[in-house]
Amino acid sequence: MSRTKKSSKNAITAGVLITVYLVTYVFIGALSMPIPILFLLMPMIVALFAAPTYHMLLAKTKSATAIMIAAVLPSILLIATGHIPIAPLVSVPAGLLAAWVAKTGNYEDFKKNAISHLFFSLNLFGGFLPIWVMREAFFRSVQHGGLDQSFCDTVRAFTPLWMLPLMMAGTFLFSLAGSYLTKKILYKKLQSAGVLS
């Protein structure tokens, strides 16, 4: 296969897998957003269910650019839908770290790819960080977006400062669980891509 054809195939594959990731994020977000507890669990749920897509993205494209695009797109979507525009301050570093870790293993070391997914999964925290660093602005924005006072009151009650590191730790655990399940479910596909021996 020529380099041009291979590059085009990789770009198409990356586009499809990034779209699958974005659809996963939007679908889980739509289900979670009206329910305060699910809203706070959202980064963990996405980390779990998006893990297979992420690992296939690394195996099939071996591209830091694809990782960065996937990491930053949810932030752009948040900004486009009127959320507080600080999400890229988290998603960009998360994407850079994820890409760097995956690249150190040439995108073929499953353990490094799993660690990469840990960092990648933090990309969604840009949408949650305002709960603590811009608290009143966040709740005003949420109400302006159509959610009621009871949602705000419940989220406020469940988000003391210590909840942020707890959510991050939970996201790490769910990310690892997602990677473990990916290894079990997609073993043959990852093996054929050279990720598993």
Side-chain angles (χ1 to χ4, degrees):
M1 184 183 295
S2 70
R3 182 174 296 181
T4 301
K5 286 185 177 179
K6 186 175 181 180
S7 178
S8 297
K9 184 180 178 182
N10 280 353
I12 292 169
T13 301
V16 169
L17 290 169
I18 290 168
T19 300
V20 171
Y21 170 70
L22 196 61
V23 168
T24 302
Y25 160 72
V26 171
F27 179 74
I28 292 172
L31 292 178
S32 303
M33 192 61 183
I35 305 167
I37 301 303
L38 286 181
F39 169 67
L40 295 174
L41 290 173
M42 182 184 162
M44 296 164 232
I45 299 170
V46 173
L48 178 67
F49 286 102
T53 304
Y54 185 77
H55 281 280
M56 289 308 298
L57 180 69
L58 268 58
K60 293 294 186 180
T61 69
K62 297 178 171 59
S63 169
T65 302
I67 295 172
M68 284 301 302
I69 292 171
V72 173
L73 269 181
S75 297
I76 295 172
L77 185 61
L78 285 175
I79 294 170
T81 53
H83 290 75
I84 298 171
I86 68 167
L89 296 178
V90 176
S91 65
V92 171
L96 288 171
L97 277 170
W100 176 74
V101 172
K103 191 172 183 179
T104 62
N106 198 33
Y107 308 98
E108 295 179 349
D109 184 322
F110 185 81
K111 288 182 180 178
K112 287 187 176 180
N113 287 354
I115 295 170
S116 172
H117 187 247
L118 290 179
F119 291 116
F120 176 84
S121 296
L122 295 178
N123 80 82
L124 299 185
F125 275 86
F128 289 84
L129 195 59
I131 295 174
W132 293 277
V133 300
M134 302 173 68
R135 200 164 177 83
E136 297 309 317
F138 171 81
F139 288 115
R140 283 196 303 271
S141 173
V142 165
Q143 285 188 296
H144 182 72
L147 292 171
D148 59 23
Q149 186 63 45
S150 64
F151 176 90
C152 294
D153 291 342
T154 305
V155 171
R156 191 186 293 270
F158 277 94
T159 52
L161 186 57
W162 54 263
M163 182 56 73
L164 176 58
L166 185 64
M167 285 175 63
M168 292 175 71
T171 300
F172 281 159
L173 289 175
F174 274 68
S175 170
L176 288 174
S179 292
Y180 174 80
L181 291 174
T182 298
K183 188 175 181 180
K184 294 294 184 185
I185 296 167
L186 300 177
Y187 184 87
K188 289 184 178 180
K189 286 187 179 293
L190 293 173
Q191 190 177 45
S192 67
V195 177
L196 295 171
S197 56

